[in-house]
Amino acid sequence: MLLWAWFLWPFVANGARFPVGPDGPVYLWWTRLAGLEGLSAVGHRPGASALTLVLSGVTRAGVGQATAALEVALGVAVGLAGAGLLRRRTSATGAWLGGLLAGTFAVHLAAGYLANLAFVPAFLASATMLDEGRRRSTVLAALLLGAGGLAHPLFFLIGAIVLLVAAVGAARAEPGQARSLAAAVIGGGAVMGAGLLALLVGPRPPRVDTSKDAFLRRAGLTAELRDAYRDRYVQRWARYVQWVAIPLALLGSSRAEGNAGRILRAWLWVTIVGIVVAFASGWIPADRFVTFGFAVPLLAALGLERIRLRLAARWLLGWSVVVALTLLMLAGSAIAWDRQEPFLSEDEVRAATIAAGIGPREGPMAFLIDAPKGEASFLASRAGNVIRASVPPDRIRDVVVVVPPRASQDEVRRALEELTAADLRIAEARAGLEAPMFVLTPFFDPARAPEGATVVDPGLLVAGEEPDPLQPSSAAEIAWSSLGALLLLGVVGFGWARVGLADVVTATAASPAVGIGAVILAAVALDLVGVRIGTVGGAIAASALAGGSGYLVRFVLERRVGAGAPPQVHEQPAE
């Protein structure tokens, strides 16, 4: 409940009515397009859209409301899964602290990065399964890894490296555990690969720039992209409070035993090495390793527990130190989360919706975008995402963002002008139609509108009903939807969690994370055979398949044991 209230803060206290974070608009239009055309339209990261569509269909919430609710629910799932991972390896206090610190640290991904965030609880639940030491648990760990990979393949790669490093560490002392860890990576890769192959059947995703990074990559501005990666890390490093958390994590790393300890220690060193290599090379954002480094808060909780036990004779001092250090780490996450806001406004959404309503029913629509001050590259990608999220789903592919020429010596600006002009020419040639030009006042100064362009102001009154508008949500709606999401994922995942985890409390904590993986796999499988997850029936079918199969498998296994199957079938170790 504490984590649930924590993640609701921007919506309740700050009045956010859309999903928060810079990538929020991206997931909105991805999900709306996937609901119309199928998950293949999202490309290689269908997991977050599948979860949103299932939640939206089962609860009858709008896409905007479901996406915001998922930001909350996934953050809570991270905390629960983190506590479940530590439960067998520390006291109840240590597990609670680990869940609290991991859950609150998830704000750095909950700020719009849903694909990244969806992978984390699946990975934590997979690690919990691997700590169980049974063959069935290893199989479930592989399935969860593969499902998480369908949410974010890059994070799957980092997670696979973590598990392989842990396997190397276990190879000499416990070769059976090493084989279990390696088998989970191989199996997870196979599951992810099969899912990605299934997504090749159906419409391909639109080839558009969803971020400034994507634009710089397409423009071949490699030096500028590397500088952007480094600048981002330098500007953000303080908010992670690693100067407190990493020393505590190193202190606690010796307390974790079994596969859980191996995985957390390997994860810690992969995070540290990854940050150094990424920052030095500029190949990938260094903060990707930081925001996925959940081993740090989890091991930090064990470090706090070690301090508390060391000062057990002076319990007041011990608890004072633990509380003070915990509050320091929570403060960084709290400040970062309090600053989050939606990267789209009601005026921007309404202007784009009006333009779609008064524009032609087919063919490309060109939207002029420019920034009187600041970088046009960021505004262009953000505006494109907002407009695609706001127009009806069947017009998303028709949106073309155009940055007009302006006297400038800026290489990035010139590349942006050339690429967007080329995008417009290609769209018009493909459709055989000239694109009407729109100027939305939130994104372009109407005084500079060229002749023939249609100026659209959010206050414009239009006759008739707006076509399929993207609706804002109240804090109460987001709160209830997030509770519904947690309940749905928990019920769906509990059967599978009990198959792989003997302890009912650990299984309960891991069940929302397991439900995430089960829903993703079921959604991709149903989408492959033509069942649209964007419909109410499709969402219910995905939930029923994901959850019902787990309870069925558990029932069958219990019947086998009850019928006299040898006990070792149930308890046989992975080795």
Side-chain angles (χ1 to χ4, degrees):
M1 189 60 69
L2 177 61
L3 284 177
W4 177 68
W6 172 283
F7 281 100
L8 280 174
W9 178 263
F11 306 102
V12 175
N14 299 341
R17 303 191 67 193
F18 288 109
V20 298
D23 278 6
V26 180
Y27 288 101
L28 288 174
W29 76 256
W30 274 3
T31 302
R32 299 185 90 196
L33 185 61
L36 175 69
E37 299 182 357
L39 294 175
S40 67
V42 179
H44 62 280
R45 288 192 284 177
S49 293
L51 290 169
T52 306
L53 288 173
V54 169
L55 172 61
S56 177
V58 172
T59 64
R60 307 302 296 271
V63 168
Q65 181 179 332
T67 303
L70 198 60
E71 290 179 330
V72 177
L74 291 179
V76 176
V78 169
L80 291 172
L85 176 61
L86 295 184
R87 176 173 164 75
R88 296 179 68 228
R89 302 303 174 182
T90 187
S91 67
T93 301
W96 185 87
L97 272 175
L100 176 67
L101 291 176
T104 53
F105 187 76
V107 300
H108 303 297
L109 293 179
Y113 306 112
L114 282 179
N116 312 59
L117 182 60
F119 178 82
V120 175
F123 183 75
L124 289 171
S126 177
T128 306
M129 295 287 180
L130 289 169
D131 194 41
E132 190 76 5
R134 294 188 291 174
R135 284 197 177 95
R136 68 173 65 168
S137 303
T138 302
V139 172
L140 287 176
L143 291 171
L144 287 168
L145 275 175
L150 291 173
H152 203 291
L154 178 59
F155 270 29
F156 171 87
L157 178 60
I158 300 175
I161 293 173
V162 168
L163 294 182
L164 291 176
V165 171
V168 171
R172 176 173 296 182
E174 296 186 76
Q177 296 296 346
R179 288 194 294 270
S180 177
L181 290 162
V185 172
I186 295 170
V191 171
M192 182 182 72
L196 294 177
L197 286 174
L199 294 170
L200 297 178
V201 179
R204 307 314 305 139
R207 302 185 67 178
V208 298
D209 300 324
T210 58
S211 65
K212 176 184 174 181
D213 293 353
F215 155 69
L216 292 174
R217 195 176 298 113
R218 182 162 71 109
L221 300 173
T222 307
E224 288 78 3
L225 181 61
R226 290 178 178 177
D227 288 343
Y229 287 161
R230 294 189 181 102
D231 290 344
R232 194 175 305 156
Y233 177 76
V234 170
Q235 293 169 7
R236 296 178 179 178
W237 74 271
R239 73 174 64 174
Y240 303 124
V241 200
Q242 303 290 58
W243 51 277
V244 174
I246 287 182
L248 285 172
L250 293 172
L251 181 64
S253 62
S254 61
R255 288 189 57 83
E257 300 176 348
N259 270 345
R262 292 188 187 94
I263 292 169
L264 288 173
R265 284 189 292 273
W267 197 349
L268 174 63
W269 290 112
V270 168
T271 298
I272 293 173
V273 172
I275 292 171
V276 173
V277 172
F279 186 82
S281 66
W283 294 336
I284 56 177
D287 60 349
R288 289 285 184 94
F289 285 94
V290 179
T291 55
F292 181 57
F294 284 84
V296 175
L298 289 169
L299 287 173
L302 298 183
L304 291 171
E305 181 72 350
R306 186 172 181 177
I307 292 173
R308 186 182 70 84
L309 294 175
R310 181 69 62 87
L311 298 174
R314 305 168 66 184
W315 65 269
L316 181 59
L317 175 62
W319 275 109
S320 298
V321 172
V322 168
V323 170
L325 293 174
T326 300
L327 289 176
L328 275 175
M329 287 184 282
L330 293 181
S333 297
I335 293 171
W337 191 231
D338 183 60
R339 292 174 178 173
Q340 296 303 322
E341 59 184 6
F343 273 60
L344 70 168
S345 69
E346 292 182 56
D347 281 349
E348 292 168 346
V349 170
R350 176 159 174 76
T353 303
I354 292 173
I358 64 178
R361 302 315 307 159
E362 60 181 17
M365 299 183 296
F367 293 85
L368 282 177
I369 307 297
D370 203 358
K373 296 180 180 179
E375 293 186 354
S377 55
F378 175 76
L379 178 63
S381 59
R382 186 181 79 82
N385 291 326
V386 172
I387 295 167
R388 292 184 185 96
S390 306
V391 302
D394 61 349
R395 303 307 310 277
I396 288 175
R397 292 182 181 272
D398 297 329
V399 172
V400 181
V401 169
V402 178
V403 176
R406 189 175 68 185
S408 174
Q409 300 300 316
D410 184 355
E411 181 183 8
V412 174
R413 168 78 191 206
R414 292 197 304 271
L416 185 62
E417 294 170 0
E418 293 170 2
L419 282 180
T420 56
D423 290 339
L424 180 59
R425 289 194 300 269
I426 292 171
E428 290 178 331
R430 184 181 295 119
L433 298 169
E434 183 178 354
M437 194 72 67
F438 291 92
V439 168
L440 309 185
T441 57
F443 298 120
F444 197 91
D445 182 1
R448 297 177 53 238
E451 185 179 352
T454 301
V455 177
V456 180
D457 185 86
L460 182 66
L461 297 177
V462 294
E465 186 177 351
E466 296 177 359
D468 193 16
L470 178 68
Q471 297 287 1
S473 305
S474 67
E477 290 172 331
I478 294 170
W480 284 114
S481 291
S482 62
L483 283 177
L486 283 168
L487 178 61
L488 174 65
L489 293 172
V491 171
V492 165
F494 184 74
W496 285 115
R498 289 292 285 129
V499 168
L501 299 170
D503 178 57
V504 66
V505 176
T506 304
T508 301
S511 58
V514 177
I516 289 167
V519 167
I520 291 173
L521 292 178
V524 171
L526 290 176
D527 185 81
L528 177 63
V529 298
V531 178
R532 285 289 172 261
I533 310 303
T535 64
V536 173
I540 293 174
S543 302
L545 175 61
S549 56
Y551 290 102
L552 177 61
V553 169
R554 182 170 179 242
F555 173 77
V556 170
L557 291 175
E558 287 183 344
R559 286 288 299 271
R560 289 180 59 192
V561 173
Q568 61 266 28
V569 173
H570 179 74
E571 297 293 344
Q572 187 171 354
E575 61 267 29

